[in-house]
Amino acid sequence: MSLYEHVMIARQDLSNAQAEGLIEHFSTVISDNGGNVLGTEYWGVKTMAYKINKNRKGHYMFLRTDAPSAAIQEMERLARLHDDVMRVLSIKVEKHEDGPSVQMQKRDERSERGDRPERGPRR
């Protein structure tokens, strides 16, 4: 089985309980098809850069899974058919990072951008 990370955006007019219910629904779809959900996060309502289906905001959800590709394809198919889900992004990763995702970390806990090279003088 392969490791995947999924980000879903649901309509803004859902309640928080309904959005978290979507996480549970898609988690059961993955587990019913032979996969494991290793972690879930509800990121809350966030403003999007552009409108999607006349919505400016959306409920953001994050899942970490260990599943066969057939389970991922079925989950994505059901997400496209679901009226409340606007977008789904699934990414295959080599390994999952420990702890919370970058979105859930406090700003002062994140690493600084010190790995960038110094830009020379302006011309």
Side-chain angles (χ1 to χ4, degrees), residues 47-114:
T47 303
M48 296 183 279
Y50 55 91
K51 287 184 181 180
I52 300 175
N53 299 337
K54 298 181 182 177
N55 290 303
R56 276 271 182 220
K57 294 183 179 187
H59 290 273
Y60 281 71
M61 298 160 276
F62 179 70
L63 287 92
R64 289 184 176 125
T65 60
D66 181 12
S69 63
I72 301 305
Q73 290 172 352
E74 178 66 13
M75 190 261 318
E76 288 179 341
R77 183 185 75 82
L78 291 174
R80 283 193 303 270
L81 294 174
H82 204 285
D83 291 335
D84 294 332
V85 178
M86 295 188 296
R87 291 285 190 273
V88 177
L89 174 68
S90 297
I91 300 173
K92 187 175 182 179
V93 294
E94 294 294 321
K95 69 173 193 151
H96 290 299
E97 295 181 10
D98 295 332
S101 64
V102 175
Q103 289 288 329
M104 296 300 287
Q105 293 175 4
K106 294 180 183 174
R107 186 174 295 275
D108 55 345
E109 293 176 2
R110 295 182 198 163
S111 63
E112 294 296 320
R113 298 173 114 190

